[in-house]
Amino acid sequence: MSTFEETVGGIVNELLTDHESEKVGENIKIFNHPDKEIIIDIIFSLRKIIFPGYFRNRDIKVYTMKSNLSMLLEDVIFKLTKQITIVLDNDDEDNSDILDRARQISLEFVKRLRTIREYILTDVHAAFDGDPAAYSEDEIIYSYPGLFAILVNRIAHELFLLNVPIIPRMMTEYAHSVTGIDIHPGATIGKYFFIDHGTGIVIGETTVIGNNVKMYQGVTLGALSTRGGQALRSKKRHPTIEDNVTIYSGASILGGDTIIGKDAVIGGNAFITRSIKEGAKVSVKNQELRYNYDAAHPVERMEIEDDDTAWFYMI
């Protein structure tokens, strides 16, 4: 009978043989990969920079706004440059050239922080104006998962536009894991975007969203089909949502040619694969409720009247 050590050694040898023979395992990177914990730390440092009055850097004993922002910004540039250097690493380019390129990308990114902040502040205003359950903008900034998911997406989107691989998706997937809201970093989102509740929302890579769009939980902005696999890369697969659109819970809007016109309202659980004109109100027809009672009471069936749209706005 083989010893425990021999058994483990045999399994290790088999796994290594598999790695050597499979294409996926040709480049085994044990240490040379982006660090998830550092990426998450960068997200929260950037949140402190974007909302400096809300999230204090407790590492600074003598606190001023300027010292706080200076230290945070330097820390973000240093960490982001290192992580970008890792994901840009290749055998055909000198290490010093990669480092210089990563540093330039990091500096270009931090120059865009004012724009990111400008956009996310409009999102805060949209959440407060659009949610009667919100008692203050402070409450939204500290606690709303929709705002956090949007914030991370706006950060990741700028890195995506700078052609940084892997890191933008790591950021948005972290937000997905903690909020249940899945927004691809490639999605283009305008100002005053409000996600209410949010759990189960999916927004695909080539989605374009205009200004003043409001969206509830369970909404999918997706592709009609992904059977083409990598052949579909860079093609418009996801819908365009124009300004002032409201999309209620459970709606699915699919397809790269699908355009939801300005001021449209999409009712709960609608399934849409073609364009909707401006100002349209789309709802599912013939909603029906059935009530079953015990044997002592008759079975009752109720149909919603044609002019009863209370169900339409379910959130």
Side-chain angles (χ1 to χ4, degrees):
M1 179 178 290
S2 62
T3 64
F4 175 79
E5 289 79 8
E6 290 173 340
T7 300
V8 172
I11 294 171
V12 169
N13 289 333
E14 290 173 354
L15 291 172
L16 288 174
T17 300
D18 290 341
H19 282 303
E20 290 169 359
S21 63
E22 295 173 3
K23 186 175 181 180
V24 174
E26 286 179 355
N27 296 314
I28 301 175
K29 295 184 177 181
I30 299 175
F31 301 107
N32 193 23
H33 60 271
D35 189 311
K36 181 179 179 181
E37 295 304 318
I38 292 177
I39 299 301
I40 294 170
D41 183 67
I42 290 171
I43 290 172
F44 284 103
S45 292
L46 288 168
R47 186 172 71 161
K48 292 176 182 176
I49 292 170
I50 292 167
F51 295 116
Y54 289 86
F55 303 100
R56 176 176 173 175
N57 186 357
R58 300 184 183 279
D59 295 331
I60 304 176
K61 293 182 179 179
V62 180
Y63 179 84
T64 67
M65 188 74 74
K66 185 174 181 178
S67 62
N68 180 49
L69 290 175
S70 296
M71 177 174 282
L72 284 169
L73 200 57
E74 290 177 10
D75 186 57
V76 165
I77 292 169
F78 174 79
K79 290 178 178 176
L80 187 59
T81 298
K82 183 174 181 180
Q83 297 305 306
I84 293 175
T85 300
I86 291 170
V87 297
L88 294 180
D89 187 23
N90 65 76
D91 297 331
D92 299 324
E93 190 173 0
D94 185 81
N95 287 339
S96 61
D97 293 336
I98 295 173
L99 178 60
D100 288 341
R101 190 150 58 98
R103 186 178 292 112
Q104 290 303 313
I105 291 172
S106 296
L107 291 173
E108 177 58 33
F109 168 75
V110 297
K111 290 177 183 177
R112 302 183 183 191
L113 285 174
R114 288 188 70 188
T115 300
I116 294 172
R117 187 170 188 272
E118 175 190 349
Y119 273 66
I120 198 66
L121 287 178
T122 70
D123 303 326
V124 175
H125 298 326
F128 183 72
D129 291 341
D131 185 5
Y135 286 87
S136 68
E137 291 187 349
D138 292 356
E139 179 181 1
I140 292 163
I141 291 170
Y142 281 125
S143 64
Y144 272 40
L147 185 75
F148 182 74
I150 297 167
L151 171 64
V152 174
N153 177 263
R154 294 203 185 281
I155 292 167
H157 182 66
E158 294 304 324
L159 291 170
F160 181 88
L161 294 178
L162 290 167
N163 297 312
V164 176
I166 303 176
I167 292 172
R169 193 62 182 268
M170 290 177 69
M171 288 180 165
T172 56
E173 288 303 329
Y174 170 71
H176 181 198
S177 71
V178 298
T179 66
I181 299 167
D182 182 1
I183 312 177
H184 192 283
T188 301
I189 301 174
K191 294 182 176 180
Y192 296 96
F193 183 45
F194 176 35
I195 291 176
D196 200 358
H197 307 299
T199 304
I201 281 179
V202 177
I203 301 176
E205 176 189 11
T206 61
T207 301
V208 176
I209 298 174
N211 298 322
N212 298 297
V213 170
K214 185 175 184 178
M215 189 179 301
Y216 288 88
Q217 71 273 15
V219 168
T220 297
L221 304 181
L224 273 170
S225 173
T226 57
R227 285 181 293 179
Q230 289 297 318
L232 297 174
R233 181 186 294 274
S234 301
K235 294 184 178 180
K236 184 77 165 67
R237 309 182 304 280
H238 306 94
T240 295
I241 312 298
E242 295 187 341
D243 296 348
N244 308 316
V245 170
T246 299
I247 307 173
Y248 282 97
S249 61
S252 294
I253 304 173
L254 310 178
D257 295 328
T258 302
I259 300 173
I260 307 301
K262 294 179 181 179
D263 302 307
V265 178
I266 308 301
N269 297 317
F271 187 86
I272 296 172
T273 59
R274 62 182 66 182
S275 294
I276 303 298
K277 293 182 179 180
E278 293 184 10
K281 290 182 172 58
V282 180
S283 58
V284 179
K285 189 177 181 180
N286 295 332
Q287 289 294 301
E288 181 180 293
L289 297 178
R290 183 186 298 271
Y291 295 82
N292 294 320
Y293 297 91
D294 58 37
H297 299 84
V299 175
E300 180 181 352
R301 175 175 171 149
M302 291 179 58
E303 292 186 0
I304 294 180
E305 299 296 333
D306 291 340
D307 61 349
D308 185 356
T309 58
W311 66 270
F312 176 81
Y313 300 102
M314 58 186 174
I315 59 175

